[in-house]
Amino acid sequence: MMMRTLVTPAALCLTAALMGLPAVRGAAASRAAAPVHLSIMVGGLSKQIYLPNMLTQRLGYFTQQGLAVTLVDEASGQASENEVLAGAVQAGSGAYNHTIELQALGKQLVDVVQLGDAPGEAEMVATREAGRIKTFKDLRGRRLGITEFGSGTQTLSSYLAVRNGIPVDQVHFVPVGAGDTFIAAIQHGTIDAGMTTEPTISRLVQSSLARVLVDLRTPASTRAALGGDYPFICLFMKTDYVKSHKAVVQKVVNAYVKTLKWIHTHSAAQIAAKMPADYYAGNKALYVTALKGQLGMFSPDGRMPSDGPASVLKVEQKFNNSVQGKHIDLSKTYDGEFVAIANR
């Protein structure tokens, strides 16, 4: 009968030492550690405001951190937050204001890295209506396109309405998605105006279907329109997940911070070249032009602007019934610990 010999890790190390070879740590030592798998749901992968997500994947920075990341495309950040809360995905990329709204409802999501220091959005008015709609004040009683109910686009549109003296119930929000569906809604008269992102903004302008009414594509234009900073796209996770998976969260944040720094040391053309070709919507030159005009919206290092949370809370308290009258602990909506380590 053939005898089977059990070789223990200790025996392997002893044998290696006797032979003058490097010590081996167990049977798995000869292969790389298995990557950590996680899913990140993004509120519109092809939208330029969400560009850091796919760019991090394409640059290989997730892999460098020992992560196997699946990016899940969704219509809006609203869907992302729901899936994160349900535990269907480990992280979501959407608007920072969702962390405030959810805390008011007794739910906890925390922003672990800030990707955008401005919304990167614009309120577009259909060209056929441009003669009658000169400012946001002229949108009273009009049909306004948003990605979906509860989305960041509805939050911003509502605040702009209130800031311009229009009660929220005197505009009619219509969920029309983004990209081709938004363009179709403008073209077919489903909406009179609406909030969307690049490259849809530039596509509408180039085709003469719409013009920019309110520009939120840079920090400066955002401050002019909203009266303060408005940090927007971020990466959020469930608070209890962050507390119990700190090592994983740090790896995720490391990857994103590296991408943000890469963005600010490369041109719009170089960045566009890393993105999937179908993101160009058939016009790469237009994609590059659109990106060039709003590169300043991306955070340079993932840190939250110092007055950002208070500014966003002010917007929420202005019109959001679920937030009005509630005590919001802003320190629980953003955790800067991981970004600080990533920037060392």
Side-chain angles (χ1 to χ4, degrees):
M1 176 191 266
M2 182 177 290
M3 298 290 291
R4 183 174 294 173
T5 303
L6 177 63
V7 182
T8 65
L12 284 172
C13 291
L14 177 61
T15 301
L18 292 172
M19 296 178 64
L21 298 174
V24 186
R25 293 183 180 274
S30 62
R31 59 182 182 272
V36 176
H37 291 261
L38 72 157
S39 297
I40 300 174
M41 182 168 282
V42 183
L45 272 170
S46 64
K47 300 176 187 177
Q48 287 188 355
I49 58 172
Y50 288 102
L51 179 146
N53 293 284
M54 180 57 75
L55 184 58
T56 304
Q57 186 83 285
R58 304 279 282 195
L59 290 172
Y61 292 162
F62 288 134
T63 302
Q64 286 181 14
Q65 291 293 321
L67 303 170
V69 171
T70 299
L71 295 175
V72 183
D73 196 11
E74 257 298 336
S76 77
Q78 173 79 10
S80 300
E81 76 176 42
N82 291 335
E83 292 302 297
V84 173
L85 287 170
V89 296
Q90 288 70 49
S93 189
Y96 163 70
N97 64 281
H98 293 317
T99 66
I100 292 174
E101 294 171 355
L102 288 167
Q103 188 182 131
L105 298 173
K107 302 175 183 179
Q108 297 292 332
L109 281 186
V110 60
D111 171 356
V112 295
V113 57
Q114 193 61 40
L115 304 181
D117 289 345
E121 308 265 1
E123 185 71 28
M124 306 297 293
V125 58
T127 302
R128 67 179 179 278
E129 298 291 343
R132 292 178 288 274
I133 300 174
K134 305 287 188 180
T135 69
F136 203 96
K137 293 179 180 180
D138 300 323
L139 291 176
R140 187 188 297 266
R142 297 288 190 156
R143 296 161 299 173
L144 308 187
I146 55 174
T147 50
E148 69 175 0
F149 291 123
S151 65
T153 53
Q154 184 175 11
T155 299
L156 287 167
S157 299
S158 297
Y159 182 67
L160 282 169
V162 171
R163 185 171 168 79
N164 285 278
I166 306 173
V168 176
D169 61 0
Q170 290 186 24
V171 292
H172 308 292
F173 292 119
V174 183
V176 294
D180 290 340
T181 56
F182 187 97
I183 292 172
I186 286 280
Q187 196 167 20
H188 299 144
T190 306
I191 56 176
D192 303 307
M195 187 164 287
T196 191
T197 61
E198 292 286 14
T200 306
I201 296 167
S202 292
R203 290 173 63 191
L204 286 165
V205 172
Q206 187 186 61
S207 61
S208 298
L209 287 172
R211 67 173 180 83
V212 175
L213 186 68
V214 179
D215 195 344
L216 304 177
R217 286 175 290 180
T218 68
S221 63
T222 297
R223 284 190 288 270
L226 301 181
D229 284 320
Y230 199 88
F232 201 56
I233 299 304
C234 68
L235 189 82
F236 46 66
M237 296 177 167
K238 286 179 71 173
T239 302
D240 57 0
Y241 179 89
V242 172
K243 290 179 178 177
S244 60
H245 295 78
K246 286 198 169 188
V248 174
V249 176
Q250 188 62 63
K251 290 176 183 292
V252 173
V253 173
N254 289 346
Y256 276 105
V257 168
K258 192 170 182 180
T259 296
L260 292 170
K261 292 182 176 181
W262 191 94
I263 288 173
H264 287 279
T265 55
H266 290 77
S267 68
Q270 290 172 319
I271 296 167
K274 294 291 184 180
M275 305 306 289
D278 60 334
Y279 284 20
Y280 309 148
N283 193 332
K284 184 176 181 179
L286 184 64
Y287 184 92
V288 172
T289 298
L291 183 58
K292 189 181 299 183
Q294 60 173 3
L295 278 178
M297 76 174 172
F298 296 113
S299 170
D301 53 19
R303 292 186 172 96
M304 172 66 78
S306 59
D307 62 344
S311 181
V312 175
L313 178 59
K314 178 183 175 182
V315 171
E316 291 288 331
Q317 290 176 329
K318 196 77 173 179
F319 75 91
N320 193 322
N321 292 333
S322 66
V323 176
Q324 289 173 350
K326 298 285 183 67
H327 171 70
I328 301 297
D329 185 346
L330 291 176
S331 68
K332 293 182 179 179
T333 64
Y334 174 76
D335 188 339
E337 170 191 349
F338 303 97
V339 166
I341 293 173
N343 277 285
R344 285 177 185 169

